[in-house]
Short mmCIF file of all heavy atoms in Angstrom, two decimals:
data_model
loop_
_atom_site.label_atom_id
_atom_site.label_comp_id
_atom_site.label_asym_id
_atom_site.label_seq_id
_atom_site.Cartn_x
_atom_site.Cartn_y
_atom_site.Cartn_z
N VAL D 1 2.25 0.64 1.53
CA VAL D 1 2.75 1.64 2.53
C VAL D 1 2.02 3.02 2.17
O VAL D 1 1.86 3.41 0.97
CB VAL D 1 4.25 1.88 2.34
CG1 VAL D 1 4.67 3.11 3.10
CG2 VAL D 1 4.86 0.63 2.78
N VAL D 2 1.49 3.69 3.15
CA VAL D 2 0.73 4.91 2.98
C VAL D 2 1.82 6.07 3.32
O VAL D 2 2.47 6.10 4.25
CB VAL D 2 -0.45 5.01 3.96
CG1 VAL D 2 -1.05 6.41 3.88
CG2 VAL D 2 -1.50 3.97 3.72
N ARG D 3 1.86 6.96 2.33
CA ARG D 3 2.76 8.06 2.42
C ARG D 3 2.02 9.44 2.38
O ARG D 3 1.02 9.51 1.99
CB ARG D 3 3.85 8.03 1.30
CG ARG D 3 4.48 6.72 1.10
CD ARG D 3 5.46 6.88 -0.09
NE ARG D 3 5.97 5.52 -0.58
CZ ARG D 3 6.99 4.96 0.06
NH1 ARG D 3 7.60 5.54 1.06
NH2 ARG D 3 7.47 3.79 -0.42
N ASP D 4 2.75 10.43 2.91
CA ASP D 4 2.25 11.82 2.88
C ASP D 4 2.36 12.39 1.43
O ASP D 4 1.61 13.24 1.13
CB ASP D 4 2.89 12.67 3.89
CG ASP D 4 2.58 12.28 5.40
OD1 ASP D 4 1.52 11.89 5.60
OD2 ASP D 4 3.63 12.46 6.10
N VAL D 5 3.21 11.84 0.72
CA VAL D 5 3.51 12.23 -0.69
C VAL D 5 3.10 11.26 -1.63
O VAL D 5 3.25 9.98 -1.59
CB VAL D 5 5.00 12.51 -0.88
CG1 VAL D 5 5.24 12.88 -2.32
CG2 VAL D 5 5.53 13.60 0.05
N ALA D 6 2.22 11.63 -2.63
CA ALA D 6 1.61 10.70 -3.52
C ALA D 6 2.60 10.01 -4.45
O ALA D 6 2.67 8.91 -4.63
CB ALA D 6 0.47 11.38 -4.37
N VAL D 7 3.58 10.91 -5.15
CA VAL D 7 4.50 10.39 -6.08
C VAL D 7 5.84 11.03 -5.70
O VAL D 7 5.94 12.35 -5.58
CB VAL D 7 4.05 10.71 -7.49
CG1 VAL D 7 5.25 10.31 -8.42
CG2 VAL D 7 2.77 10.04 -7.83
N THR D 8 6.89 10.26 -5.66
CA THR D 8 8.18 10.82 -5.48
C THR D 8 9.00 10.44 -6.77
O THR D 8 9.07 9.33 -7.18
CB THR D 8 8.98 10.14 -4.23
OG1 THR D 8 8.20 10.38 -3.10
CG2 THR D 8 10.36 10.70 -4.15
N ALA D 9 9.58 11.59 -7.40
CA ALA D 9 10.31 11.31 -8.63
C ALA D 9 11.63 11.95 -8.50
O ALA D 9 11.95 12.65 -7.56
CB ALA D 9 9.54 11.87 -9.92
N PHE D 10 12.50 11.61 -9.53
CA PHE D 10 13.88 12.25 -9.54
C PHE D 10 14.30 12.84 -10.76
O PHE D 10 13.73 12.51 -11.85
CB PHE D 10 14.99 11.17 -9.14
CG PHE D 10 15.24 10.17 -10.25
CD1 PHE D 10 16.29 10.25 -10.98
CD2 PHE D 10 14.36 9.11 -10.41
CE1 PHE D 10 16.61 9.37 -12.03
CE2 PHE D 10 14.62 8.14 -11.37
CZ PHE D 10 15.77 8.32 -12.25
N CYS D 11 15.15 13.79 -10.76
CA CYS D 11 15.70 14.39 -12.03
C CYS D 11 17.06 13.61 -12.34
O CYS D 11 17.84 13.53 -11.58
CB CYS D 11 16.11 15.84 -11.77
SG CYS D 11 16.95 16.62 -13.08
N PRO D 12 17.12 13.09 -13.57
CA PRO D 12 18.31 12.28 -13.99
C PRO D 12 19.53 13.17 -14.13
O PRO D 12 20.63 12.62 -14.28
CB PRO D 12 17.85 11.48 -15.27
CG PRO D 12 16.88 12.50 -15.79
CD PRO D 12 16.11 13.09 -14.60
N ASP D 13 19.44 14.51 -14.17
CA ASP D 13 20.59 15.34 -14.31
C ASP D 13 21.19 15.71 -13.04
O ASP D 13 22.35 15.47 -12.79
CB ASP D 13 20.25 16.54 -15.16
CG ASP D 13 19.82 16.19 -16.51
OD1 ASP D 13 20.32 15.26 -17.01
OD2 ASP D 13 19.15 16.96 -17.18
N CYS D 14 20.40 16.32 -12.09
CA CYS D 14 20.97 16.76 -10.87
C CYS D 14 20.62 15.79 -9.71
O CYS D 14 21.18 16.08 -8.58
CB CYS D 14 20.49 18.15 -10.61
SG CYS D 14 18.73 18.23 -10.17
N LEU D 15 19.78 14.76 -9.95
CA LEU D 15 19.38 13.82 -8.97
C LEU D 15 18.55 14.42 -7.76
O LEU D 15 18.27 13.77 -6.80
CB LEU D 15 20.58 13.18 -8.31
CG LEU D 15 21.69 12.53 -9.22
CD1 LEU D 15 22.85 11.84 -8.44
CD2 LEU D 15 20.96 11.55 -10.23
N ALA D 16 17.99 15.59 -8.01
CA ALA D 16 17.03 16.22 -7.06
C ALA D 16 15.73 15.37 -7.07
O ALA D 16 15.37 14.79 -8.09
CB ALA D 16 16.78 17.66 -7.35
N LEU D 17 15.04 15.34 -5.86
CA LEU D 17 13.82 14.62 -5.71
C LEU D 17 12.64 15.65 -5.88
O LEU D 17 12.77 16.84 -5.46
CB LEU D 17 13.72 13.95 -4.33
CG LEU D 17 14.59 12.87 -4.09
CD1 LEU D 17 14.25 12.10 -2.81
CD2 LEU D 17 14.82 11.82 -5.17
N HIS D 18 11.57 15.16 -6.46
CA HIS D 18 10.34 16.05 -6.58
C HIS D 18 9.15 15.26 -5.99
O HIS D 18 8.88 14.19 -6.39
CB HIS D 18 10.15 16.31 -8.03
CG HIS D 18 11.13 17.12 -8.67
ND1 HIS D 18 10.92 18.53 -8.99
CD2 HIS D 18 12.41 16.93 -9.18
CE1 HIS D 18 12.10 19.00 -9.57
NE2 HIS D 18 12.98 18.03 -9.63
N ASP D 19 8.48 16.01 -5.13
CA ASP D 19 7.19 15.42 -4.58
C ASP D 19 6.06 15.94 -5.56
O ASP D 19 5.88 17.12 -5.73
CB ASP D 19 6.95 16.05 -3.22
CG ASP D 19 7.92 15.49 -2.20
OD1 ASP D 19 8.59 14.49 -2.34
OD2 ASP D 19 8.11 16.14 -1.13
N CYS D 20 5.29 14.97 -6.01
CA CYS D 20 4.23 15.27 -7.07
C CYS D 20 2.88 14.82 -6.48
O CYS D 20 2.78 13.84 -5.76
CB CYS D 20 4.62 14.48 -8.31
SG CYS D 20 6.26 14.94 -9.00
N GLU D 21 1.91 15.45 -7.09
CA GLU D 21 0.42 15.03 -6.88
C GLU D 21 0.15 13.65 -7.57
O GLU D 21 0.98 13.38 -8.58
CB GLU D 21 -0.52 15.95 -7.48
CG GLU D 21 -0.34 17.40 -6.63
CD GLU D 21 -0.79 17.30 -5.17
OE1 GLU D 21 -1.67 16.39 -4.87
OE2 GLU D 21 -0.38 18.15 -4.42
N GLU D 22 -0.80 12.92 -7.31
CA GLU D 22 -1.09 11.67 -7.85
C GLU D 22 -1.30 11.81 -9.33
O GLU D 22 -0.92 10.85 -10.14
CB GLU D 22 -2.29 11.00 -7.11
CG GLU D 22 -2.64 9.62 -7.63
CD GLU D 22 -3.81 8.99 -6.89
OE1 GLU D 22 -4.08 9.58 -5.81
OE2 GLU D 22 -4.27 7.97 -7.43
N THR D 23 -1.93 12.95 -9.78
CA THR D 23 -2.31 13.11 -11.18
C THR D 23 -1.10 13.71 -11.92
O THR D 23 -1.34 13.94 -13.17
CB THR D 23 -3.55 14.04 -11.34
OG1 THR D 23 -3.17 15.25 -10.58
CG2 THR D 23 -4.68 13.37 -10.61
N ALA D 24 -0.04 13.95 -11.41
CA ALA D 24 1.17 14.61 -12.08
C ALA D 24 1.64 13.68 -13.17
O ALA D 24 1.71 12.46 -13.06
CB ALA D 24 2.16 14.93 -11.09
N THR D 25 2.08 14.21 -14.31
CA THR D 25 2.64 13.48 -15.41
C THR D 25 4.03 13.96 -15.70
O THR D 25 4.65 13.37 -16.60
CB THR D 25 1.74 13.61 -16.69
OG1 THR D 25 1.67 15.03 -17.02
CG2 THR D 25 0.34 13.01 -16.46
N GLU D 26 4.51 15.06 -15.21
CA GLU D 26 5.75 15.70 -15.49
C GLU D 26 6.38 16.43 -14.36
O GLU D 26 5.75 16.79 -13.45
CB GLU D 26 5.71 16.46 -16.79
CG GLU D 26 4.91 17.66 -16.69
CD GLU D 26 4.59 18.39 -17.98
OE1 GLU D 26 4.72 17.70 -19.02
OE2 GLU D 26 4.37 19.66 -17.85
N ILE D 27 7.75 16.65 -14.51
CA ILE D 27 8.42 17.45 -13.43
C ILE D 27 9.25 18.46 -14.30
O ILE D 27 9.58 18.26 -15.50
CB ILE D 27 9.27 16.70 -12.54
CG1 ILE D 27 10.46 15.95 -13.40
CG2 ILE D 27 8.59 15.75 -11.66
CD1 ILE D 27 11.57 15.33 -12.48
N ARG D 28 9.56 19.60 -13.67
CA ARG D 28 10.45 20.58 -14.31
C ARG D 28 11.68 20.81 -13.48
O ARG D 28 11.57 21.12 -12.28
CB ARG D 28 9.71 21.95 -14.50
CG ARG D 28 10.58 22.92 -15.31
CD ARG D 28 9.84 24.13 -15.84
NE ARG D 28 10.70 25.03 -16.57
CZ ARG D 28 11.17 24.83 -17.78
NH1 ARG D 28 10.87 23.77 -18.46
NH2 ARG D 28 12.05 25.74 -18.29
N CYS D 29 12.85 20.52 -14.06
CA CYS D 29 14.06 20.79 -13.25
C CYS D 29 15.23 20.92 -14.25
O CYS D 29 15.28 20.42 -15.38
CB CYS D 29 14.39 19.40 -12.45
SG CYS D 29 15.62 19.61 -11.15
N CYS D 30 16.23 21.75 -13.74
CA CYS D 30 17.46 21.97 -14.60
C CYS D 30 17.05 22.54 -15.91
O CYS D 30 17.65 22.33 -16.96
CB CYS D 30 18.18 20.66 -14.83
SG CYS D 30 18.92 19.85 -13.30
N GLY D 31 16.04 23.37 -15.83
CA GLY D 31 15.57 24.12 -17.03
C GLY D 31 14.84 23.31 -17.98
O GLY D 31 14.63 23.67 -19.11
N THR D 32 14.46 22.09 -17.71
CA THR D 32 13.82 21.16 -18.67
C THR D 32 12.61 20.48 -18.03
O THR D 32 12.59 20.30 -16.85
CB THR D 32 14.86 20.09 -19.01
OG1 THR D 32 16.02 20.47 -19.60
CG2 THR D 32 14.25 19.05 -20.04
N THR D 33 11.54 20.32 -18.89
CA THR D 33 10.43 19.71 -18.45
C THR D 33 10.55 18.19 -18.93
O THR D 33 10.78 17.95 -20.13
CB THR D 33 9.09 20.31 -19.17
OG1 THR D 33 8.98 21.69 -18.59
CG2 THR D 33 7.82 19.56 -18.68
N ARG D 34 10.31 17.34 -17.99
CA ARG D 34 10.49 15.89 -18.23
C ARG D 34 9.11 15.15 -17.89
O ARG D 34 8.58 15.44 -16.86
CB ARG D 34 11.59 15.26 -17.57
CG ARG D 34 12.87 15.83 -17.81
CD ARG D 34 13.98 15.21 -17.00
NE ARG D 34 15.32 15.80 -17.16
CZ ARG D 34 16.14 15.31 -18.18
NH1 ARG D 34 15.74 14.34 -18.98
NH2 ARG D 34 17.32 15.83 -18.28
N ARG D 35 8.76 14.20 -18.67
CA ARG D 35 7.63 13.30 -18.38
C ARG D 35 8.10 12.24 -17.36
O ARG D 35 9.17 11.84 -17.43
CB ARG D 35 7.08 12.68 -19.66
CG ARG D 35 6.50 13.52 -20.71
CD ARG D 35 5.97 12.81 -21.88
NE ARG D 35 6.99 12.09 -22.55
CZ ARG D 35 7.01 10.71 -22.69
NH1 ARG D 35 6.06 9.99 -22.11
NH2 ARG D 35 8.00 10.15 -23.32
N LEU D 36 7.16 11.90 -16.46
CA LEU D 36 7.57 11.03 -15.36
C LEU D 36 7.85 9.60 -16.07
O LEU D 36 8.64 8.90 -15.39
CB LEU D 36 6.39 10.93 -14.52
CG LEU D 36 6.04 12.07 -13.56
CD1 LEU D 36 4.85 11.79 -12.66
CD2 LEU D 36 7.29 12.58 -12.81
N GLU D 37 7.27 9.31 -17.20
CA GLU D 37 7.63 7.99 -17.77
C GLU D 37 8.83 8.08 -18.72
O GLU D 37 8.97 7.11 -19.56
CB GLU D 37 6.35 7.48 -18.47
CG GLU D 37 5.22 7.22 -17.47
CD GLU D 37 5.66 6.25 -16.27
OE1 GLU D 37 6.32 5.34 -16.47
OE2 GLU D 37 5.48 6.74 -15.07
N ASP D 38 9.49 9.21 -18.77
CA ASP D 38 10.76 9.18 -19.56
C ASP D 38 11.61 8.07 -19.22
O ASP D 38 11.68 7.70 -18.03
CB ASP D 38 11.53 10.60 -19.32
CG ASP D 38 10.92 11.66 -20.17
OD1 ASP D 38 10.01 11.39 -21.05
OD2 ASP D 38 11.36 12.91 -20.07
N ALA D 39 12.39 7.56 -20.14
CA ALA D 39 13.27 6.34 -19.84
C ALA D 39 14.45 6.35 -20.77
O ALA D 39 14.39 6.87 -21.96
CB ALA D 39 12.44 5.16 -20.06
N THR D 40 15.58 5.86 -20.33
CA THR D 40 16.70 5.50 -21.25
C THR D 40 16.73 4.09 -21.47
O THR D 40 17.46 3.52 -22.40
CB THR D 40 18.07 5.86 -20.54
OG1 THR D 40 18.16 5.24 -19.26
CG2 THR D 40 18.10 7.35 -20.32
N PHE D 41 15.87 3.27 -20.71
CA PHE D 41 15.90 1.78 -20.95
C PHE D 41 14.27 1.40 -21.17
O PHE D 41 13.50 1.58 -20.39
CB PHE D 41 16.32 1.08 -19.66
CG PHE D 41 16.53 -0.48 -19.93
CD1 PHE D 41 17.61 -0.99 -20.46
CD2 PHE D 41 15.59 -1.35 -19.47
CE1 PHE D 41 17.89 -2.23 -20.70
CE2 PHE D 41 15.78 -2.69 -19.63
CZ PHE D 41 16.89 -3.14 -20.24
#
């Protein structure tokens, strides 16, 4: 599927969505910088 947004990610604290560039490796939300590959599992 072709999308207008390269990467869609979410914040596990507030559940907000983040539109990211293809080269992005992290997001910043709720005062915290998180890596896109962060995991609890």
